[in-house]
Amino acid sequence: MSEETVNMEGAVCAAPLPHNEQIVMGHGAGGRMTHQLIRKAFLPAFDNSALNAGDDAAVLQPRPGLQLSISTDAHVVWPLFFPGGDIGTLAVNGTVNDLAMGGAQPLFLSAAFIIEEGLPMETLRRVVESLRAAAEEAGVAVVTGDTKVVERGKGDGLFINTSGIGLVPAGLELSADRARPGDRILLSGSLGDHGIAILAQREGLEFESEIESDSAPLHTLVQAMLAIGGTIRCMRDPTRGGLSSALNEIAAQSRVGMMIEEEKIRVHEEVRGACELLGLDPLYVANEGKLVAIVAPEGAEKILDAMRKHPLGRDAQIIGEVTELNSGLVAMRTALGTTRIVDMLAGDQLPRIC
């Protein structure tokens, strides 16, 4: 891969005016406003090393030789059902994947249902069955939960919170502060399928081919990658905020730059066409069955080969490289040969997609 880099130190990108006095939708979108909210409202209140690591799941050591991973996720997707999944499958896969990004083998889940008065009982049954099937497919047990009902008009149908516990192999340490210059950036497949599937269902859009969510549990793909033995620095599933937010988080925490290649990033033609039609950028669109990994250069090709042998990694690519220049910035070399900054959006192009 070319060592060519572009110095963009000090570059800035326009962003909406800040909202300091009340919560707006952008605070929940996974972009810059979400990170500012976390830094100002939550980290000072719950200050501890596990939380401050900023990873998808916390890794704890209750005793020597035992590493537990714990994660929690709230799911407010609308509509509840969409091509390729529903809020039930999303609730399982989202938490399983957060655990997997730290190298954990997911074991147990909790599930809390917040139900709006008036929700058809058949809708609830359908979601519960979907969640059960997704948990069975992922090999995890739903061992505890809670149910609450809110007044009509105050819950938008159904919200689900899932928390998960998993085991991390002894000695394995994956974290977003471990990327090093020269590391390769691996992406497991195409971008934007989930976000565009939600948007199409929400807005009644029709395309020549139906676009389906990529929602899937990624832990078996992660296990196949770890089995190779190459040095994986960290992993992220690019959900809210898409690939852009995931890479920007890692670049900031590791104090490195990144250069990615547009021609290496796969986007299905239907998704690309929808994005062009709607003025969206696939780099910022949510995914629910993809991962990005930062890997030491000497092991990158072997890990890539292992990914491509797995059903969820058939289209994996090395899409870029970690650099010394432009600490905290992600840049992309475009198909036209130009270079652009891939900044983290303040809010989101599409709210409530997970």
Side-chain angles (χ1 to χ4, degrees), residues 70 141 144 177 208 278:
I70 182 169
T144 189
D177 64 357
E208 289 187 8
L278 299 167

Side-chain angles (χ1 to χ4, degrees), residues 153-189:
K154 295 187 177 180
D156 207 4
L158 177 66
F159 301 148
I160 301 176
N161 173 268
T162 45
S163 297
I165 294 176
L167 279 178
V168 180
L172 180 65
E173 296 183 17
L174 304 177
S175 186
D177 64 357
R178 294 179 175 272
R180 299 291 181 267
D183 287 348
R184 304 302 192 252
I185 305 168
L186 280 62
L187 179 63
S188 65

Side-chain angles (χ1 to χ4, degrees), residues 73-235:
D73 209 347
H75 304 272
V76 298
V77 65
W78 184 82
L80 299 177
F81 302 94
F82 47 84
D86 56 56
I87 193 172
T89 57
L90 205 59
V92 171
N93 294 338
T95 298
V96 164
N97 291 346
D98 283 347
L99 294 172
M101 294 307 101
Q105 171 63 47
L107 297 175
F108 305 109
L109 293 180
S110 71
F113 293 77
I114 302 173
I115 309 167
E116 182 187 13
E117 180 186 21
L119 183 77
M121 191 63 72
E122 178 56 32
T123 298
L124 181 61
R125 291 194 188 99
R126 184 178 168 190
V127 170
V128 170
E129 171 56 25
S130 183
L131 193 152
R132 183 209 63 78
E136 182 177 288
E137 179 186 355
V140 296
V142 179
V143 296
T144 189
D146 188 32
T147 302
K148 294 291 189 296
V149 177
V150 298
E151 296 92 334
R152 190 184 300 268
K154 295 187 177 180
D156 207 4
L158 177 66
F159 301 148
I160 301 176
N161 173 268
T162 45
S163 297
I165 294 176
L167 279 178
V168 180
L172 180 65
E173 296 183 17
L174 304 177
S175 186
D177 64 357
R178 294 179 175 272
R180 299 291 181 267
D183 287 348
R184 304 302 192 252
I185 305 168
L186 280 62
L187 179 63
S188 65
S190 60
L191 293 183
D193 298 338
H194 176 72
I196 296 302
I198 295 290
L199 179 61
Q201 185 73 11
R202 184 181 296 176
E203 303 299 333
L205 303 178
E206 295 185 2
F207 304 100
E208 289 187 8
S209 299
E210 184 176 61
I211 300 172
E212 292 191 353
S213 169
D214 60 344
S215 179
L218 293 168
H219 58 300
T220 56
L221 173 60
V222 170
Q223 290 163 9
M225 295 166 64
L226 293 173
I228 299 302
T231 302
I232 300 177
R233 312 286 195 197
C234 66
M235 288 181 282

Side-chain angles (χ1 to χ4, degrees), residues 189-193 211-212 265-274 290 315:
S190 60
L191 293 183
D193 298 338
I211 300 172
E212 292 191 353
I265 299 172
R266 185 177 182 192
V267 180
H268 289 136
E269 285 304 315
E270 297 86 353
V271 172
R272 188 182 302 280
K290 302 297 187 304
D315 297 323

Side-chain angles (χ1 to χ4, degrees), residues 50 53-59 69-72 95 98-102 104 174 236:
D55 292 317
D56 288 342
V59 177
S69 180
I70 182 169
S71 184
T72 190
T95 298
D98 283 347
L99 294 172
M101 294 307 101
L174 304 177
R236 278 283 196 273

